[in-house]
PDB file of all heavy atoms in Angstrom:
ATOM      1  N   VAL A   1     -13.172  12.780   3.953  1.00 68.00           N
ATOM      2  CA  VAL A   1     -12.307  11.689   4.324  1.00 68.00           C
ATOM      3  C   VAL A   1     -11.223  12.152   5.302  1.00 68.00           C
ATOM      4  O   VAL A   1     -10.570  13.136   5.008  1.00 68.00           O
ATOM      5  CB  VAL A   1     -11.708  10.969   3.096  1.00 68.00           C
ATOM      6  CG1 VAL A   1     -10.738   9.888   3.439  1.00 68.00           C
ATOM      7  CG2 VAL A   1     -12.762  10.474   2.139  1.00 68.00           C
ATOM      8  N   ALA A   2     -11.034  11.447   6.374  1.00 80.00           N
ATOM      9  CA  ALA A   2      -9.987  11.826   7.389  1.00 80.00           C
ATOM     10  C   ALA A   2      -8.616  11.779   6.717  1.00 80.00           C
ATOM     11  O   ALA A   2      -8.446  10.862   5.829  1.00 80.00           O
ATOM     12  CB  ALA A   2     -10.080  10.955   8.590  1.00 80.00           C
ATOM     13  N   LEU A   3      -7.718  12.594   7.036  1.00 78.00           N
ATOM     14  CA  LEU A   3      -6.436  12.600   6.353  1.00 78.00           C
ATOM     15  C   LEU A   3      -5.705  11.290   6.461  1.00 78.00           C
ATOM     16  O   LEU A   3      -5.037  10.790   5.490  1.00 78.00           O
ATOM     17  CB  LEU A   3      -5.561  13.715   7.030  1.00 78.00           C
ATOM     18  CG  LEU A   3      -4.153  13.960   6.325  1.00 78.00           C
ATOM     19  CD1 LEU A   3      -4.327  14.268   4.870  1.00 78.00           C
ATOM     20  CD2 LEU A   3      -3.386  15.050   7.034  1.00 78.00           C
ATOM     21  N   ASP A   4      -5.839  10.538   7.571  1.00 92.00           N
ATOM     22  CA  ASP A   4      -5.172   9.230   7.690  1.00 92.00           C
ATOM     23  C   ASP A   4      -5.755   8.232   6.728  1.00 92.00           C
ATOM     24  O   ASP A   4      -5.110   7.161   6.388  1.00 92.00           O
ATOM     25  CB  ASP A   4      -5.305   8.655   9.114  1.00 92.00           C
ATOM     26  CG  ASP A   4      -4.455   9.408  10.086  1.00 92.00           C
ATOM     27  OD1 ASP A   4      -3.446  10.114   9.598  1.00 92.00           O
ATOM     28  OD2 ASP A   4      -4.625   9.284  11.213  1.00 92.00           O
ATOM     29  N   ASP A   5      -6.992   8.393   6.260  1.00 93.00           N
ATOM     30  CA  ASP A   5      -7.641   7.434   5.356  1.00 93.00           C
ATOM     31  C   ASP A   5      -7.576   7.915   3.899  1.00 93.00           C
ATOM     32  O   ASP A   5      -8.080   7.196   3.073  1.00 93.00           O
ATOM     33  CB  ASP A   5      -9.121   7.253   5.805  1.00 93.00           C
ATOM     34  CG  ASP A   5      -9.145   6.532   7.177  1.00 93.00           C
ATOM     35  OD1 ASP A   5      -8.369   5.602   7.438  1.00 93.00           O
ATOM     36  OD2 ASP A   5     -10.076   6.930   7.988  1.00 93.00           O
ATOM     37  N   LYS A   6      -7.102   9.055   3.710  1.00 95.00           N
ATOM     38  CA  LYS A   6      -7.126   9.586   2.293  1.00 95.00           C
ATOM     39  C   LYS A   6      -5.985   8.920   1.449  1.00 95.00           C
ATOM     40  O   LYS A   6      -4.796   8.930   1.925  1.00 95.00           O
ATOM     41  CB  LYS A   6      -6.856  11.145   2.300  1.00 95.00           C
ATOM     42  CG  LYS A   6      -7.036  11.775   0.965  1.00 95.00           C
ATOM     43  CD  LYS A   6      -7.031  13.243   1.095  1.00 95.00           C
ATOM     44  CE  LYS A   6      -7.342  13.894  -0.251  1.00 95.00           C
ATOM     45  NZ  LYS A   6      -8.013  15.104  -0.113  1.00 95.00           N
ATOM     46  N   PRO A   7      -6.403   8.285   0.392  1.00 95.00           N
ATOM     47  CA  PRO A   7      -5.399   7.605  -0.472  1.00 95.00           C
ATOM     48  C   PRO A   7      -4.505   8.640  -1.241  1.00 95.00           C
ATOM     49  O   PRO A   7      -4.988   9.373  -2.126  1.00 95.00           O
ATOM     50  CB  PRO A   7      -6.241   6.798  -1.468  1.00 95.00           C
ATOM     51  CG  PRO A   7      -7.606   7.376  -1.459  1.00 95.00           C
ATOM     52  CD  PRO A   7      -7.727   8.200  -0.174  1.00 95.00           C
ATOM     53  N   LEU A   8      -3.242   8.720  -0.833  1.00 95.00           N
ATOM     54  CA  LEU A   8      -2.351   9.706  -1.411  1.00 95.00           C
ATOM     55  C   LEU A   8      -1.111   9.146  -2.055  1.00 95.00           C
ATOM     56  O   LEU A   8      -0.465   9.752  -2.872  1.00 95.00           O
ATOM     57  CB  LEU A   8      -1.863  10.616  -0.247  1.00 95.00           C
ATOM     58  CG  LEU A   8      -2.883  11.441   0.544  1.00 95.00           C
ATOM     59  CD1 LEU A   8      -2.307  12.036   1.746  1.00 95.00           C
ATOM     60  CD2 LEU A   8      -3.527  12.500  -0.447  1.00 95.00           C
ATOM     61  N   PHE A   9      -0.690   7.922  -1.655  1.00 97.00           N
ATOM     62  CA  PHE A   9       0.622   7.416  -2.021  1.00 97.00           C
ATOM     63  C   PHE A   9       0.536   6.304  -3.015  1.00 97.00           C
ATOM     64  O   PHE A   9      -0.177   5.332  -2.802  1.00 97.00           O
ATOM     65  CB  PHE A   9       1.371   6.972  -0.741  1.00 97.00           C
ATOM     66  CG  PHE A   9       1.451   7.996   0.315  1.00 97.00           C
ATOM     67  CD1 PHE A   9       0.576   8.023   1.385  1.00 97.00           C
ATOM     68  CD2 PHE A   9       2.337   9.064   0.326  1.00 97.00           C
ATOM     69  CE1 PHE A   9       0.613   8.889   2.392  1.00 97.00           C
ATOM     70  CE2 PHE A   9       2.367  10.024   1.297  1.00 97.00           C
ATOM     71  CZ  PHE A   9       1.483   9.959   2.368  1.00 97.00           C
ATOM     72  N   THR A  10       1.386   6.391  -4.045  1.00 97.00           N
ATOM     73  CA  THR A  10       1.438   5.295  -5.076  1.00 97.00           C
ATOM     74  C   THR A  10       2.201   4.124  -4.563  1.00 97.00           C
ATOM     75  O   THR A  10       2.903   4.188  -3.526  1.00 97.00           O
ATOM     76  CB  THR A  10       2.114   5.791  -6.405  1.00 97.00           C
ATOM     77  OG1 THR A  10       3.457   6.167  -6.082  1.00 97.00           O
ATOM     78  CG2 THR A  10       1.358   7.005  -6.955  1.00 97.00           C
ATOM     79  N   THR A  11       2.065   3.029  -5.252  1.00 97.00           N
ATOM     80  CA  THR A  11       2.820   1.762  -4.926  1.00 97.00           C
ATOM     81  C   THR A  11       4.318   2.052  -4.870  1.00 97.00           C
ATOM     82  O   THR A  11       5.027   1.618  -3.940  1.00 97.00           O
ATOM     83  CB  THR A  11       2.458   0.657  -5.918  1.00 97.00           C
ATOM     84  OG1 THR A  11       1.116   0.471  -5.911  1.00 97.00           O
ATOM     85  CG2 THR A  11       3.259  -0.636  -5.615  1.00 97.00           C
ATOM     86  N   GLY A  12       4.823   2.790  -5.841  1.00 97.00           N
ATOM     87  CA  GLY A  12       6.226   3.092  -5.930  1.00 97.00           C
ATOM     88  C   GLY A  12       6.739   3.883  -4.730  1.00 97.00           C
ATOM     89  O   GLY A  12       7.847   3.594  -4.151  1.00 97.00           O
ATOM     90  N   VAL A  13       5.957   4.881  -4.338  1.00 98.00           N
ATOM     91  CA  VAL A  13       6.312   5.718  -3.206  1.00 98.00           C
ATOM     92  C   VAL A  13       6.354   4.846  -1.922  1.00 98.00           C
ATOM     93  O   VAL A  13       7.233   4.880  -1.121  1.00 98.00           O
ATOM     94  CB  VAL A  13       5.391   6.850  -3.036  1.00 98.00           C
ATOM     95  CG1 VAL A  13       5.559   7.618  -1.726  1.00 98.00           C
ATOM     96  CG2 VAL A  13       5.516   7.860  -4.252  1.00 98.00           C
ATOM     97  N   VAL A  14       5.287   4.091  -1.677  1.00 98.00           N
ATOM     98  CA  VAL A  14       5.197   3.262  -0.455  1.00 98.00           C
ATOM     99  C   VAL A  14       6.326   2.223  -0.457  1.00 98.00           C
ATOM    100  O   VAL A  14       6.889   2.035   0.628  1.00 98.00           O
ATOM    101  CB  VAL A  14       3.829   2.594  -0.379  1.00 98.00           C
ATOM    102  CG1 VAL A  14       3.703   1.554   0.812  1.00 98.00           C
ATOM    103  CG2 VAL A  14       2.723   3.684  -0.231  1.00 98.00           C
ATOM    104  N   SER A  15       6.569   1.554  -1.548  1.00 97.00           N
ATOM    105  CA  SER A  15       7.584   0.553  -1.606  1.00 97.00           C
ATOM    106  C   SER A  15       8.986   1.113  -1.243  1.00 97.00           C
ATOM    107  O   SER A  15       9.783   0.623  -0.539  1.00 97.00           O
ATOM    108  CB  SER A  15       7.600  -0.283  -2.861  1.00 97.00           C
ATOM    109  OG  SER A  15       7.972   0.539  -3.917  1.00 97.00           O
ATOM    110  N   GLY A  16       9.218   2.348  -1.781  1.00 98.00           N
ATOM    111  CA  GLY A  16      10.442   2.998  -1.545  1.00 98.00           C
ATOM    112  C   GLY A  16      10.613   3.507  -0.083  1.00 98.00           C
ATOM    113  O   GLY A  16      11.689   3.367   0.540  1.00 98.00           O
ATOM    114  N   LEU A  17       9.526   3.971   0.479  1.00 97.00           N
ATOM    115  CA  LEU A  17       9.520   4.466   1.847  1.00 97.00           C
ATOM    116  C   LEU A  17       9.772   3.349   2.843  1.00 97.00           C
ATOM    117  O   LEU A  17      10.495   3.471   3.844  1.00 97.00           O
ATOM    118  CB  LEU A  17       8.210   5.155   2.269  1.00 97.00           C
ATOM    119  CG  LEU A  17       7.943   6.535   1.709  1.00 97.00           C
ATOM    120  CD1 LEU A  17       6.556   7.005   2.045  1.00 97.00           C
ATOM    121  CD2 LEU A  17       8.921   7.533   2.406  1.00 97.00           C
ATOM    122  N   LEU A  18       9.192   2.176   2.545  1.00 97.00           N
ATOM    123  CA  LEU A  18       9.178   1.119   3.562  1.00 97.00           C
ATOM    124  C   LEU A  18      10.207   0.001   3.169  1.00 97.00           C
ATOM    125  O   LEU A  18      10.351  -0.956   3.992  1.00 97.00           O
ATOM    126  CB  LEU A  18       7.775   0.455   3.632  1.00 97.00           C
ATOM    127  CG  LEU A  18       6.658   1.376   4.007  1.00 97.00           C
ATOM    128  CD1 LEU A  18       5.331   0.696   4.108  1.00 97.00           C
ATOM    129  CD2 LEU A  18       6.970   2.110   5.334  1.00 97.00           C
ATOM    130  N   GLY A  19      10.858   0.172   2.046  1.00 97.00           N
ATOM    131  CA  GLY A  19      11.824  -0.850   1.640  1.00 97.00           C
ATOM    132  C   GLY A  19      11.135  -2.239   1.310  1.00 97.00           C
ATOM    133  O   GLY A  19      11.699  -3.230   1.625  1.00 97.00           O
ATOM    134  N   ILE A  20      10.046  -2.163   0.665  1.00 96.00           N
ATOM    135  CA  ILE A  20       9.304  -3.391   0.351  1.00 96.00           C
ATOM    136  C   ILE A  20       9.116  -3.421  -1.200  1.00 96.00           C
ATOM    137  O   ILE A  20       8.817  -2.372  -1.818  1.00 96.00           O
ATOM    138  CB  ILE A  20       7.872  -3.343   0.939  1.00 96.00           C
ATOM    139  CG1 ILE A  20       8.016  -3.356   2.521  1.00 96.00           C
ATOM    140  CG2 ILE A  20       7.055  -4.496   0.463  1.00 96.00           C
ATOM    141  CD1 ILE A  20       6.700  -3.248   3.176  1.00 96.00           C
ATOM    142  N   ASN A  21       9.309  -4.563  -1.714  1.00 98.00           N
ATOM    143  CA  ASN A  21       9.098  -4.777  -3.164  1.00 98.00           C
ATOM    144  C   ASN A  21       7.616  -4.471  -3.537  1.00 98.00           C
ATOM    145  O   ASN A  21       6.770  -4.937  -2.825  1.00 98.00           O
ATOM    146  CB  ASN A  21       9.488  -6.221  -3.514  1.00 98.00           C
ATOM    147  CG  ASN A  21       9.529  -6.453  -5.020  1.00 98.00           C
ATOM    148  OD1 ASN A  21       8.542  -6.217  -5.695  1.00 98.00           O
ATOM    149  ND2 ASN A  21      10.675  -6.948  -5.492  1.00 98.00           N
ATOM    150  N   PRO A  22       7.402  -3.734  -4.603  1.00 97.00           N
ATOM    151  CA  PRO A  22       6.030  -3.481  -4.999  1.00 97.00           C
ATOM    152  C   PRO A  22       5.207  -4.778  -5.139  1.00 97.00           C
ATOM    153  O   PRO A  22       3.991  -4.799  -4.844  1.00 97.00           O
ATOM    154  CB  PRO A  22       6.163  -2.827  -6.407  1.00 97.00           C
ATOM    155  CG  PRO A  22       7.468  -2.172  -6.324  1.00 97.00           C
ATOM    156  CD  PRO A  22       8.335  -3.071  -5.459  1.00 97.00           C
ATOM    157  N   LYS A  23       5.749  -5.818  -5.637  1.00 98.00           N
ATOM    158  CA  LYS A  23       5.038  -7.110  -5.755  1.00 98.00           C
ATOM    159  C   LYS A  23       4.638  -7.659  -4.393  1.00 98.00           C
ATOM    160  O   LYS A  23       3.538  -8.242  -4.217  1.00 98.00           O
ATOM    161  CB  LYS A  23       5.914  -8.189  -6.428  1.00 98.00           C
ATOM    162  CG  LYS A  23       5.301  -9.529  -6.611  1.00 98.00           C
ATOM    163  CD  LYS A  23       4.155  -9.489  -7.614  1.00 98.00           C
ATOM    164  CE  LYS A  23       3.562 -10.807  -7.769  1.00 98.00           C
ATOM    165  NZ  LYS A  23       2.129 -10.837  -8.143  1.00 98.00           N
ATOM    166  N   THR A  24       5.355  -7.370  -3.362  1.00 97.00           N
ATOM    167  CA  THR A  24       4.945  -7.733  -1.986  1.00 97.00           C
ATOM    168  C   THR A  24       3.751  -7.015  -1.562  1.00 97.00           C
ATOM    169  O   THR A  24       2.861  -7.627  -0.941  1.00 97.00           O
ATOM    170  CB  THR A  24       6.107  -7.481  -0.981  1.00 97.00           C
ATOM    171  OG1 THR A  24       7.291  -8.167  -1.360  1.00 97.00           O
ATOM    172  CG2 THR A  24       5.714  -7.830   0.455  1.00 97.00           C
ATOM    173  N   LEU A  25       3.570  -5.785  -1.889  1.00 97.00           N
ATOM    174  CA  LEU A  25       2.390  -5.037  -1.575  1.00 97.00           C
ATOM    175  C   LEU A  25       1.200  -5.586  -2.345  1.00 97.00           C
ATOM    176  O   LEU A  25       0.069  -5.765  -1.724  1.00 97.00           O
ATOM    177  CB  LEU A  25       2.528  -3.539  -2.004  1.00 97.00           C
ATOM    178  CG  LEU A  25       3.644  -2.851  -1.174  1.00 97.00           C
ATOM    179  CD1 LEU A  25       3.763  -1.418  -1.734  1.00 97.00           C
ATOM    180  CD2 LEU A  25       3.283  -2.722   0.351  1.00 97.00           C
ATOM    181  N   ILE A  26       1.408  -6.017  -3.556  1.00 97.00           N
ATOM    182  CA  ILE A  26       0.326  -6.710  -4.316  1.00 97.00           C
ATOM    183  C   ILE A  26      -0.062  -8.033  -3.667  1.00 97.00           C
ATOM    184  O   ILE A  26      -1.210  -8.394  -3.602  1.00 97.00           O
ATOM    185  CB  ILE A  26       0.707  -6.846  -5.779  1.00 97.00           C
ATOM    186  CG1 ILE A  26       0.890  -5.483  -6.444  1.00 97.00           C
ATOM    187  CG2 ILE A  26      -0.236  -7.700  -6.549  1.00 97.00           C
ATOM    188  CD1 ILE A  26       1.533  -5.464  -7.782  1.00 97.00           C
ATOM    189  N   ASN A  27       0.993  -8.819  -3.241  1.00 97.00           N
ATOM    190  CA  ASN A  27       0.683 -10.052  -2.521  1.00 97.00           C
ATOM    191  C   ASN A  27      -0.122  -9.793  -1.287  1.00 97.00           C
ATOM    192  O   ASN A  27      -1.045 -10.573  -0.973  1.00 97.00           O
ATOM    193  CB  ASN A  27       2.001 -10.760  -2.150  1.00 97.00           C
ATOM    194  CG  ASN A  27       2.661 -11.348  -3.382  1.00 97.00           C
ATOM    195  OD1 ASN A  27       2.135 -11.487  -4.464  1.00 97.00           O
ATOM    196  ND2 ASN A  27       3.983 -11.554  -3.242  1.00 97.00           N
ATOM    197  N   TYR A  28       0.135  -8.718  -0.489  1.00 97.00           N
ATOM    198  CA  TYR A  28      -0.598  -8.447   0.728  1.00 97.00           C
ATOM    199  C   TYR A  28      -2.033  -8.146   0.340  1.00 97.00           C
ATOM    200  O   TYR A  28      -2.990  -8.610   1.007  1.00 97.00           O
ATOM    201  CB  TYR A  28      -0.051  -7.265   1.449  1.00 97.00           C
ATOM    202  CG  TYR A  28       1.319  -7.437   2.065  1.00 97.00           C
ATOM    203  CD1 TYR A  28       1.996  -6.338   2.579  1.00 97.00           C
ATOM    204  CD2 TYR A  28       1.963  -8.614   2.207  1.00 97.00           C
ATOM    205  CE1 TYR A  28       3.216  -6.397   3.204  1.00 97.00           C
ATOM    206  CE2 TYR A  28       3.216  -8.761   2.828  1.00 97.00           C
ATOM    207  CZ  TYR A  28       3.797  -7.676   3.298  1.00 97.00           C
ATOM    208  OH  TYR A  28       5.004  -7.792   3.928  1.00 97.00           O
ATOM    209  N   GLU A  29      -2.255  -7.478  -0.731  1.00 97.00           N
ATOM    210  CA  GLU A  29      -3.538  -7.064  -1.212  1.00 97.00           C
ATOM    211  C   GLU A  29      -4.304  -8.382  -1.560  1.00 97.00           C
ATOM    212  O   GLU A  29      -5.487  -8.601  -1.246  1.00 97.00           O
ATOM    213  CB  GLU A  29      -3.493  -6.121  -2.329  1.00 97.00           C
ATOM    214  CG  GLU A  29      -4.951  -5.674  -2.886  1.00 97.00           C
ATOM    215  CD  GLU A  29      -4.881  -4.746  -4.018  1.00 97.00           C
ATOM    216  OE1 GLU A  29      -3.794  -4.560  -4.634  1.00 97.00           O
ATOM    217  OE2 GLU A  29      -5.955  -4.231  -4.332  1.00 97.00           O
ATOM    218  N   ASN A  30      -3.664  -9.158  -2.460  1.00 97.00           N
ATOM    219  CA  ASN A  30      -4.220 -10.411  -2.905  1.00 97.00           C
ATOM    220  C   ASN A  30      -4.619 -11.404  -1.797  1.00 97.00           C
ATOM    221  O   ASN A  30      -5.551 -12.159  -1.895  1.00 97.00           O
ATOM    222  CB  ASN A  30      -3.357 -11.065  -3.930  1.00 97.00           C
ATOM    223  CG  ASN A  30      -3.305 -10.338  -5.265  1.00 97.00           C
ATOM    224  OD1 ASN A  30      -4.097  -9.538  -5.542  1.00 97.00           O
ATOM    225  ND2 ASN A  30      -2.225 -10.595  -5.992  1.00 97.00           N
ATOM    226  N   ALA A  31      -3.781 -11.369  -0.741  1.00 96.00           N
ATOM    227  CA  ALA A  31      -4.088 -12.239   0.416  1.00 96.00           C
ATOM    228  C   ALA A  31      -5.179 -11.757   1.335  1.00 96.00           C
ATOM    229  O   ALA A  31      -5.583 -12.331   2.289  1.00 96.00           O
ATOM    230  CB  ALA A  31      -2.775 -12.401   1.279  1.00 96.00           C
ATOM    231  N   GLY A  32      -5.645 -10.484   1.049  1.00 95.00           N
ATOM    232  CA  GLY A  32      -6.710  -9.902   1.812  1.00 95.00           C
ATOM    233  C   GLY A  32      -6.322  -9.210   3.056  1.00 95.00           C
ATOM    234  O   GLY A  32      -7.029  -8.847   3.981  1.00 95.00           O
ATOM    235  N   LEU A  33      -5.028  -8.868   3.142  1.00 97.00           N
ATOM    236  CA  LEU A  33      -4.417  -8.180   4.320  1.00 97.00           C
ATOM    237  C   LEU A  33      -4.584  -6.661   4.168  1.00 97.00           C
ATOM    238  O   LEU A  33      -4.620  -5.923   5.168  1.00 97.00           O
ATOM    239  CB  LEU A  33      -2.985  -8.455   4.477  1.00 97.00           C
ATOM    240  CG  LEU A  33      -2.555  -9.956   4.676  1.00 97.00           C
ATOM    241  CD1 LEU A  33      -1.078 -10.070   4.749  1.00 97.00           C
ATOM    242  CD2 LEU A  33      -3.272 -10.510   5.890  1.00 97.00           C
ATOM    243  N   LEU A  34      -4.836  -6.188   2.906  1.00 95.00           N
ATOM    244  CA  LEU A  34      -5.015  -4.794   2.658  1.00 95.00           C
ATOM    245  C   LEU A  34      -6.185  -4.613   1.689  1.00 95.00           C
ATOM    246  O   LEU A  34      -6.439  -5.452   0.848  1.00 95.00           O
ATOM    247  CB  LEU A  34      -3.759  -4.192   1.889  1.00 95.00           C
ATOM    248  CG  LEU A  34      -2.492  -4.084   2.633  1.00 95.00           C
ATOM    249  CD1 LEU A  34      -1.364  -3.682   1.651  1.00 95.00           C
ATOM    250  CD2 LEU A  34      -2.572  -3.095   3.755  1.00 95.00           C
ATOM    251  N   ARG A  35      -6.887  -3.522   1.867  1.00 94.00           N
ATOM    252  CA  ARG A  35      -7.930  -3.160   0.826  1.00 94.00           C
ATOM    253  C   ARG A  35      -7.468  -1.776   0.321  1.00 94.00           C
ATOM    254  O   ARG A  35      -7.683  -0.760   0.964  1.00 94.00           O
ATOM    255  CB  ARG A  35      -9.292  -2.950   1.538  1.00 94.00           C
ATOM    256  CG  ARG A  35      -9.841  -4.279   1.884  1.00 94.00           C
ATOM    257  CD  ARG A  35     -11.325  -4.116   2.392  1.00 94.00           C
ATOM    258  NE  ARG A  35     -11.623  -5.238   3.247  1.00 94.00           N
ATOM    259  CZ  ARG A  35     -12.011  -5.188   4.482  1.00 94.00           C
ATOM    260  NH1 ARG A  35     -12.254  -4.013   5.030  1.00 94.00           N
ATOM    261  NH2 ARG A  35     -12.314  -6.293   5.095  1.00 94.00           N
ATOM    262  N   VAL A  36      -6.823  -1.833  -0.800  1.00 94.00           N
ATOM    263  CA  VAL A  36      -6.175  -0.674  -1.375  1.00 94.00           C
ATOM    264  C   VAL A  36      -7.179   0.146  -2.271  1.00 94.00           C
ATOM    265  O   VAL A  36      -7.952  -0.478  -2.993  1.00 94.00           O
ATOM    266  CB  VAL A  36      -4.963  -1.077  -2.259  1.00 94.00           C
ATOM    267  CG1 VAL A  36      -4.253   0.156  -2.831  1.00 94.00           C
ATOM    268  CG2 VAL A  36      -3.978  -1.787  -1.346  1.00 94.00           C
TER     269      VAL A  36
END
């Protein structure tokens, strides 16, 4: 798997890095915007 596609970061880490609520990330996934 290419490094850019390797799943490495948890929801908490990503939400902290990007300043996004973890629930928002789940909403993006549920809306089909992300395939986590």
Side-chain angles (χ1 to χ4, degrees):
V1 176
L3 185 57
D4 285 346
D5 294 320
K6 189 170 184 150
L8 299 170
F9 308 99
T10 64
T11 302
V13 169
V14 173
S15 68
L17 283 172
L18 304 181
I20 296 176
N21 189 304
K23 180 64 177 156
T24 301
L25 296 172
I26 295 168
N27 290 341
Y28 291 171
E29 181 184 12
N30 291 340
L33 301 177
L34 294 171
R35 290 187 202 124
V36 179

